[in-house]
Structure formats: C-alpha cells, structure tokens
Amino acid sequence: MSFSASVLTLYPEMFPGALGVSLAGRALEAGTWSLEAIQIRDFATDRHRTVDDTPAGGGAGMVMRADVLAKAIDHSSPPGDPRPRLLMSPRGKPLTQVRVRELAAGPGAVIVCGRFEGVDQRVIDARGLEEVSVGDFILSGGEPAALVLLDAVVRLLPGVMGNTVSGDEESFENGLLEHPHYTRPQEFEGRQIPEVLTSGNHQKIAAWRRAESERLTKERRPDLLAAQPLVK
Ligand code: SAH
C-alpha cells in the first residue's frame, strides 16, 4: 500500500504544484504515493455553493462552515479510514521531523486546508482533526502548509531519496542542527575548505562535524538541546 494523501481545499488547482516536480513528482508518477485534491465547495448544498459565513459573536472575516466541511471529510475519509485527519492551523502543534517520520510510516493523511479566519470549532471536535502548524506565522491558507508537510513526508517514503544515509544525518534527525557543508573549488574568494575535511582522516572528520553540529545548535537552537540532552 502506498502513502495516500487526500487534501481538502478551496483551491485544488494548487496541487500537486511544487510536489509535481523533482523527487516528489517522480515518486508521484511512480505510484510511491498518491494525491487527490478535493474541492470543498462541491459539498455545499445551497445555490451559491457557500462554504463560509460570518463569525458568531461578530468580528472581522469569515469562518468555514462545519456542515460543508464535515460532508467533504466524510466523503474522502469514511469511518474506518485508517489515515490521520489533519487540519493545517497556526494554533496546531508545531510540525517536527518526529511527526513527519510517523506520518511517512503510516497509510497516508487526510489534510484539511483552512481559509479565511479558520474553520468552525465544531467540525474540528466532531471529526477529531489533529491541528498541525508549520510555524509561528500566518499564511493566507492551509495549502502552502499542506505542501510543506507532504514534501517533508514524501521524501522519506521508501525509494524516494536515492541516498538514504543523507536522510539520517540531517538537521533534527539526531536532535542537532547539521554541520556546514563544503565542496569544490578548494578556494572560493580567498576562503578555504576547512583543512580537516580534506585530510582523509575519517575519525577526525566525524569529530569535527559533531563539534560543529553542537556549536551551531548551542548558538542557534538551544531549545533543541534542552529538549533532548546530548548522548555522547
Ligand atoms: N485567524 C487565524 C488565522 C487564519 S489563516 C488565526 O489567527 O489563528 C487561514 C488558514 O491558513 C488557517 O485556517 C490555516 O489552515 C492556514 N494557516 C495559516 N497559518 C498557518 C500555519 N502557520 N500553519 C498551518 N496552517 C496555517
């Protein structure tokens, strides 16, 4: 069974978008994963195909209706569908590489993309939507967030990345940011590649990379160190 993504959106034309090219695009063509973009508006019942309404209690903007969204969810993810149901949301749990790995190991995901001010709380509760954030900033809609999440997941699917070792050594995989990289030419605008990297001494190289990882993480993301004490 390949990873199956269903994305519920008011802008299905945004998919596969960036996921139709490069690694993800080739994997999509090869059937390593599948993607269906579902137009939420198709589940509206009135003549004007309304999907949103004014917020109860007043205030700016519009809110996505619970009834229309619930119909779209029930259509794409009937009871018994083993896939987690996600709602892209700035209020959600920040997405991490750990959650990305879990998702990649599972059957797929049903992903709801919000628009306007967001969605009626009752459909979040009634359909058990897991709110996922891609960062502490506000996008105009959940679609770019869904693309980000799927990109992170798809590259982990078996066979998608040619060199699987490179996945394990990346930032966050061991609770650290990655060390800096260098490649030819040996000299660039007077700057040399650190000597140790061209020494051929693999033990020294590994030690240098580890030390650089720790230095960068301490400098830039002390929160990562606090969350996961270093195992020496
Ligand atoms: N009024 C909301 C923001 C709505 S933005 C608030 O203040 O919290 C509209 C939609 O964009 C959201 O429903 C969500 O689906 C998506 N979105 C915006 N920022 C996001 C983020 N950081 N992560 C994930 N989804 C986001």
Side-chain angles (χ1 to χ4, degrees):
M1 266 291 285
S2 65
F3 184 91
S4 144
S6 299
V7 178
L8 281 62
T9 169
L10 291 172
Y11 298 98
E13 63 274 25
M14 288 192 185
F15 297 87
L19 299 178
V21 296
S22 190
L23 285 184
R26 279 200 295 276
L28 190 55
E29 247 167 60
T32 310
W33 68 296
S34 66
L35 173 65
E36 61 169 347
I38 293 148
Q39 172 56 273
I40 295 168
R41 202 173 289 283
D42 290 346
F43 298 87
T45 47
D46 66 321
R47 208 158 54 85
H48 301 291
R49 305 217 297 156
T50 312
V51 294
D52 58 330
D53 211 327
T54 53
M62 300 294 270
V63 175
M64 287 173 79
R65 288 171 57 133
D67 52 350
V68 177
L69 200 47
K71 272 208 192 114
I73 293 169
D74 294 344
H75 165 87
S76 17
S77 177
D81 183 346
R83 296 175 299 170
R85 296 171 180 162
L86 315 179
L87 168 66
M88 304 320 296
S89 159
R91 283 193 324 219
K93 197 167 168 193
L95 186 62
T96 61
Q97 191 64 15
V98 169
R99 185 68 184 118
V100 165
R101 277 213 178 272
E102 281 170 9
L103 289 169
V110 178
I111 305 175
V112 179
C113 300
R115 280 271 154 182
F116 319 116
E117 290 309 314
V119 312
D120 188 308
Q121 183 62 39
R122 293 170 296 177
V123 71
I124 302 177
D125 300 337
R127 293 298 178 273
L129 303 183
E130 170 190 342
E131 294 182 71
V132 178
S133 167
V134 294
D136 291 346
F137 44 78
I138 304 295
L139 298 166
S140 52
E143 291 80 6
L147 290 169
V148 164
L149 180 142
L150 286 172
D151 180 276
V153 168
V154 166
R155 62 189 287 284
L156 296 182
L157 298 176
V160 174
M161 272 201 303
N163 180 1
T164 47
V165 177
S166 101
D168 300 334
E169 288 178 353
E170 262 156 347
S171 292
F172 309 118
E173 290 290 359
N174 54 4
L176 293 173
L177 301 180
E178 201 184 43
H179 55 79
H181 293 289
Y182 298 87
T183 186
R184 281 185 283 275
Q186 170 63 37
E187 188 198 315
F188 165 68
E189 297 182 351
R191 296 163 193 260
Q192 306 291 333
I193 294 177
E195 224 176 284
V196 55
L197 296 180
T198 49
S199 68
N201 183 329
H202 295 293
Q203 220 173 335
K204 272 199 180 144
I205 293 171
W208 180 87
R209 286 180 168 164
R210 175 76 190 193
E212 284 295 291
S213 272
E214 289 178 14
R215 180 182 64 78
L216 284 172
T217 311
K218 251 179 231 150
E219 235 171 70
R220 300 182 181 179
R221 294 294 305 276
D223 58 301
L224 292 177
L225 295 176
Q228 190 183 309
L230 291 182
V231 189
K232 286 264 172 176

